Amino acid sequence: MTQSLIFDMDGTLFQTDKILELSLEDTFDQLRLQNEWNDATPIDQYREIMGVPLPKVWAALLPNHSEEVREEANAYFLERLIDNIKAGQGALYPHVKEVFRHFKENECSIYIASNGLTEYLNAIVDYYQLDQWVTETFSIQQIHTLDKADLVKHIMKKYEFSQGTVVGDRLSDFRAAKENGLEAIGCRFDFAREEELSEADQVIEDLLELQIK
């Protein structure tokens, strides 16, 4: 049985889709009030790049805006995401707690490695009480390169393991696994893309499939 598992958060454990549109719409409403935006909210464009670090998100969504405007939008978006999490608007994917309990009972170590910001990740972990199973949650903010492979490397170094599995839904997860000599399991969930899933060692449709590995 795998002893160390590193899970992505958005699109793997947490159904970000449930709060994404609400929070993004709120943010662009705010930009409209500030006369910084006149068009429709670019929800489809965000879905295309879902999974990359937020600074890169805002550079893509607001390419003609100043860094100051991007930072303000990012801060407001984060605030709205957290408010929606605390209001119970989001949800975990089916069987997250059941699978975590199974691995914990079998003496596996569970980590979360995400491109999300620390405050956002903590809101999810706290609301759903995931820390009873998760050893530690890591944010891309902790790595100056904003490279998920480096984040996974940091986890492996801190907890001194060289074998394990990365479970995620996007290319950054699979490459992070491969670059660190770990197994890559792809989740065919909301934001997954078939061309990216082809990079995974195995693809699952439901987290329960992890228990029979």
Side-chain angles (χ1 to χ4, degrees), residues 104-120:
K104 194 70 173 179
E105 288 173 352
N106 284 277
E107 299 183 351
C108 294
S109 296
I110 300 171
Y111 310 93
I112 293 173
S114 171
N115 283 333
L117 301 183
T118 302
E119 189 177 358
Y120 165 74

Side-chain angles (χ1 to χ4, degrees), residues 7-208:
F7 287 84
D8 175 46
M9 178 67 89
D10 292 315
T12 300
L13 298 176
F14 185 67
Q15 296 186 55
T16 317
D17 208 35
K18 291 185 178 296
I19 62 170
L20 176 63
E21 191 165 346
L22 287 171
S23 305
L24 202 64
E25 193 66 59
D26 287 345
T27 303
F28 277 85
D29 280 345
Q30 181 73 2
L31 288 168
R32 292 182 188 100
L33 287 174
Q34 297 170 343
N35 295 316
E36 293 287 355
W37 191 261
N38 298 311
D39 299 321
T41 301
I43 182 70
D44 289 336
Q45 186 180 357
Y46 192 10
R47 290 177 188 276
E48 291 287 320
I49 58 176
M50 186 70 189
V52 305
L54 279 174
K56 295 181 180 180
V57 166
W58 293 107
L61 298 186
L62 301 174
N64 301 317
H65 290 70
S66 68
E67 192 60 34
E68 181 181 1
V69 170
R70 292 175 188 170
E71 288 177 359
E72 289 177 356
N74 183 52
Y76 189 82
F77 181 58
L78 178 63
E79 179 183 312
R80 296 305 303 136
L81 284 171
I82 291 172
D83 286 346
N84 283 319
I85 291 165
K86 291 180 177 179
Q89 297 292 330
L92 297 176
Y93 279 97
H95 312 302
V96 168
K97 292 186 176 183
E98 181 179 345
V99 169
F100 276 10
R101 188 179 301 112
H102 166 81
F103 282 122
K104 194 70 173 179
E105 288 173 352
N106 284 277
E107 299 183 351
C108 294
S109 296
I110 300 171
Y111 310 93
I112 293 173
S114 171
N115 283 333
L117 301 183
T118 302
E119 189 177 358
Y120 165 74
L121 298 173
N122 288 343
I124 297 171
V125 170
D126 290 347
Y127 186 85
Y128 296 101
Q129 300 179 326
L130 298 181
D131 54 357
Q132 60 188 301
W133 303 291
V134 176
T135 301
E136 189 171 349
T137 299
F138 294 84
S139 165
I140 201 68
Q141 277 183 296
Q142 297 169 247
I143 303 296
H144 74 277
T145 62
L146 299 182
D147 186 328
K148 199 160 196 179
D150 290 337
L151 183 59
V152 168
K153 182 179 181 180
H154 171 71
I155 297 170
M156 294 171 68
K157 182 177 180 180
K158 178 172 181 178
Y159 285 96
E160 300 181 333
F161 65 89
S162 59
Q163 294 183 323
T165 300
V166 174
V167 183
D169 67 319
R170 297 306 299 265
L171 190 59
S172 61
D173 302 307
F174 314 142
R175 289 186 173 169
K178 298 296 181 64
E179 290 181 28
N180 287 287
L182 303 181
E183 180 184 19
I185 294 183
C187 298
R188 190 178 276 119
F189 296 166
D190 296 316
F191 300 106
R193 296 182 169 197
E194 289 304 317
E195 66 271 21
E196 295 184 359
L197 289 171
S198 67
E199 299 275 337
D201 296 308
Q202 179 186 345
V203 177
I204 61 174
E205 309 280 348
D206 188 303
L207 290 172
L208 279 179

